[in-house]
Amino acid sequence: MDKKPDLRGRTALVTGGNSGLGLEVARGLARRGARLLLPVRDTERGQQAVAALTATCPQAQISLLALDLASLESVSACAQAVAQQTDRLDFLINNAGVMAPAHRLETHDGFELQFGVNHLGHFALTAALRPLLEAADGGGTVVTVASLAAGRNTLHFDDLQSRHRYSPFGAYQQSKLANLLFSLELARRAAENGWNLHARAAHPGWASTAILANGQGATLPAPLGRIEQTLGGAVLRIMGQSAARGAEPLLYAALSPDARDGEYYGPQGAGERHGRPGPARIPPTARKPSLAARLWDISERLTSTSMG
């Protein structure tokens, strides 16, 4: 079991840490001695995650916080709660996500659910936590989780909220491209403005997690939903990898001495679907600084935040 680097005395926040990739990332950080802040929507599921983590990491220090990324009010309250728990944040793992609900859904603030949760919620959370990240020795590290899906769409600025046309996977792809663009732009602005933080992006390849069950399959009528979840899970298991393996690129981006700001990491196997972690291909669309800058400006306006 790899326990390097030693993270004792360091604090990490992982969104979506109660299951799947987030739980495995949290486990990897706890094994190395990090104190964990786990913001969750469901307290009961959060307590189950704490029990699972302490079963394998008995010495783990874990604090549950309340967070609903579909509510900007909740994001703000969570950031305030984090500031009451710690005076610095060494790692922020922007992991939680929603994948392809069959019908268009909205956040509490009226955003399309996937764009609102996957991108805007994390954008607002990162902005609110920036002072704590900059207070960390050597600067806190922000890892934003994108997806192979990020390379299969563009940003539809004339309909970011998918009000005129909703495609379950199209909206998911757009939100994941936004995650990647945000991470690259955060790294660029941090370097340009001298912010004491680090920004990297990562993707898990094809990881077998509950995100399918919580997405399109969960919104389809039975028995279609069960079929969708079963088939999707089978494909991921056969052609992809476990959640634990899928978490490795995220941990690599956060912890590896070879990881660099403004870079993207993922599995090194065929199609980046599975395998050991390393550099990932950045899709051409994500390499457009003008697109990233426009998304940043719109995200600040939509979330009423200013990160500079």
Side-chain angles (χ1 to χ4, degrees), residues 31-205:
R31 281 175 173 163
R32 293 166 171 86
R35 175 193 177 200
L36 295 178
L37 302 179
L38 294 186
V40 297
R41 280 190 307 143
D42 186 319
T43 302
E44 182 177 350
R45 291 185 64 192
Q47 291 171 341
Q48 292 171 357
V50 171
L53 289 168
T54 53
T56 53
C57 309
Q59 305 305 315
Q61 299 178 358
I62 308 170
S63 299
L64 289 179
L65 302 171
L67 173 63
D68 181 356
L69 284 163
S71 164
L72 292 176
E73 182 179 359
S74 176
V75 169
S76 177
C78 179
Q80 294 176 34
V82 173
Q84 293 173 357
Q85 294 262 353
T86 182
D87 60 359
R88 68 184 187 277
L89 187 62
D90 298 280
F91 301 99
L92 170 60
I93 314 297
N94 289 326
N95 161 77
V98 180
M99 182 179 180
H103 308 291
R104 183 184 179 277
L105 302 172
E106 289 190 349
T107 69
H108 295 284
D109 304 288
F111 307 129
E112 186 275 318
L113 186 66
Q114 296 176 87
F115 189 75
V117 168
N118 299 356
H119 170 60
L120 292 176
H122 283 121
F123 182 93
L125 182 64
T126 304
L129 294 177
R130 188 181 128 200
L132 296 180
L133 289 161
E134 290 203 80
D137 291 343
T141 299
V142 181
V143 176
T144 300
V145 181
S147 166
L148 286 170
R152 301 184 180 278
N153 207 337
T154 187
L155 295 181
H156 301 283
F157 286 108
D158 59 342
D159 191 24
L160 278 176
Q161 309 306 331
S162 303
R163 291 192 175 95
H164 300 296
R165 181 180 180 276
Y166 177 71
S167 161
F169 283 99
Y172 178 71
Q173 291 162 351
Q174 177 176 251
S175 74
K176 291 286 101 179
L177 174 58
N179 285 149
L180 182 52
L181 284 164
F182 164 57
S183 181
L184 300 178
E185 183 68 2
L186 178 59
R188 189 191 70 77
R189 294 192 182 218
E192 183 178 90
N193 297 310
W195 298 344
N196 187 40
L197 61 82
H198 308 278
R200 296 117 187 219
H203 77 81

Side-chain angles (χ1 to χ4, degrees), residues 200-217:
R200 296 117 187 219
H203 77 81
W206 285 11
S208 182
T209 71
I211 193 168
L212 273 176
N214 295 332
Q216 183 161 9

